[in-house]
Amino acid sequence: MFEYRKIITVIIIVIISVCSGCVKTSATDQAVIDEVQAYFDAPPDPSNPNALTAEERAMMQDFTITHNIVKVQLVEGTDSSNWETLGRKMVTAYAESARRHNILQSYYYGQLWIQTEVHGKIDNFNVGDFDFQNSNDRIQVELHNPSRDIM
């Protein structure tokens, strides 16, 4: 029993730290979600290049934040030439909000989803992944073509 005393003590300290709020365990913090929602709903601001334009806002249906990923649902038929700009703006808004609320991670993730028909089947497909690197604010983009063979 005494040989496990250190392990038990460490486990108890970790449990107390997590339960008392000393350690943030998830980016689904409501304050972050509310702040990203405010960004999403904000009126266009031509003086701010990071703000969504009216045209960009019309291309996005909704978003959700699940754990450490902001998932953006695009309107059906959104042109692929706009995917990267939309994804970059939303993952940046999410990363900046999370950092303001001390939810620090090495990467913040963004995903773009769009409903489209592939092989005669209409479904929701992931068309883009975005990694926002916390150390240098770089965004790595990977766009996917939903018409490719997914099987």
Side-chain angles (χ1 to χ4, degrees):
M1 178 68 181
F2 291 110
E3 58 196 54
Y4 299 115
R5 179 179 238 154
K6 287 183 182 179
I7 295 171
I8 293 171
T9 304
V10 169
I11 290 171
I12 290 171
I13 290 172
V14 168
I15 290 172
I16 291 171
S17 296
V18 169
C19 292
S20 67
C22 295
V23 176
K24 301 273 185 182
T25 58
S26 172
T28 54
D29 195 305
Q30 190 61 45
V32 173
I33 295 169
D34 293 343
E35 203 169 296
V36 175
Q37 183 69 51
Y39 169 81
F40 188 70
D41 292 337
D45 181 4
S47 66
N48 182 358
N50 295 324
L52 294 172
T53 66
E55 295 81 22
E56 291 169 338
R57 178 62 184 88
M59 294 177 210
M60 294 192 291
Q61 187 173 335
D62 199 8
F63 77 93
T64 58
I65 296 178
T66 308
H67 300 295
N68 65 334
I69 302 171
V70 60
K71 296 181 180 184
V72 180
Q73 180 69 41
L74 300 176
V75 173
E76 191 174 343
T78 299
D79 189 63
S80 60
S81 64
N82 297 307
W83 292 352
E84 185 172 345
T85 302
L86 297 171
R88 282 179 179 274
K89 286 185 176 184
M90 285 301 288
V91 76
T92 300
Y94 164 64
E96 290 174 350
S97 176
R99 286 194 279 190
R100 279 192 291 274
H101 292 279
N102 294 320
I103 300 172
L104 302 177
Q105 300 177 29
S106 56
Y107 293 93
Y108 301 95
Y109 299 102
Q111 293 181 344
L112 292 181
W113 293 82
I114 192 168
Q115 192 172 63
T116 190
E117 182 176 343
V118 177
H119 304 297
K121 178 182 174 192
I122 295 177
D123 206 348
N124 210 21
F125 292 93
N126 180 343
V127 295
D129 293 307
F130 299 80
D131 295 340
F132 185 103
Q133 299 172 15
N134 194 23
S135 60
N136 58 9
D137 290 353
R138 264 183 69 169
I139 300 175
Q140 183 174 342
V141 178
E142 184 177 347
L143 297 177
H144 315 287
N145 183 350
S147 63
R148 69 181 177 174
D149 187 358
I150 58 170
M151 299 299 169

